[in-house]
Amino acid sequence: VGVLRCGLSQLLNRRRHQRRSAQVGVQHHAGGIDDRPQRWLEGPAGDLQRQYWQQKLAGVPERVDLPTDRSRPAVFSFLGDQLRFDLPAELVDRLRATARREGLTLYMLLLGAFSLVLSRLSGAEDLAIASGVANRRWEEVEQTVGMLVNNVVFRLRPGRAVTVREYLREVREEVLGGMANQDLPFSDIVRAAG
């Protein structure tokens, strides 16, 4: 919203001053988005990110079987349901304080807790959990209006850690590594996994 508000403000100011301009402070390119990030991925930096994902996802389990209340359908689909709920403010405050004390973001803490629940329910000790990222690390696309979401995969192994604190440190490192290598499109990450 801020990008759109800024662009409209610039347009109105230009009109007030009777200046004509084809641009409103946002660079427009024929493909819609500046192609410099794509060219960057085709070079050595992109090769490093492909290597990161190949190593990170080598031997990743194909799926995790969770207990369900009905059998899986013969044909896979993405049909499902949602369960929405609010956490009490006091609990959120305690979670934030715990995350801060452990050097984590709230996201890292909740991802760690979620993976521990998945591991306990499924019996799996090697999990690959995908998560969306804003994909706006490039100055050239920061001011672009629209969705630029990419996915990264976090490889989490709850069974290896001795303590929860140790496991949360592993989650932190995994998230930081994934975020540092978030530029590769998700389809390329899947290909890297084999």
Side-chain angles (χ1 to χ4, degrees), residues 60-76:
V60 71
E62 194 169 305
R63 73 178 202 200
V64 173
D65 290 315
L66 293 168
T68 60
D69 57 351
R70 35 184 94 100
S71 60
R72 289 183 182 268
V75 178
F76 180 78

Side-chain angles (χ1 to χ4, degrees), residues 28-33:
H28 175 74
H29 301 273
I33 298 177

Side-chain angles (χ1 to χ4, degrees), residues 90-142:
E90 310 81 49
L91 175 59
V92 174
D93 289 342
R94 287 198 325 259
L95 289 169
R96 284 190 174 126
T98 299
R100 223 179 353 264
R101 186 176 59 250
E102 298 300 324
L104 307 167
T105 63
L106 184 58
Y107 174 79
M108 292 172 184
L109 180 67
L110 294 176
L111 176 64
F114 177 65
S115 65
L116 287 170
V117 170
L118 286 180
S119 178
R120 172 139 325 162
L121 290 175
S122 68
E125 293 188 4
D126 188 356
L127 302 168
I129 299 175
S131 182
V133 293
N135 204 21
R136 291 181 181 267
R137 290 190 337 156
W138 294 93
E139 186 178 324
E140 293 85 354
V141 296
E142 278 181 355

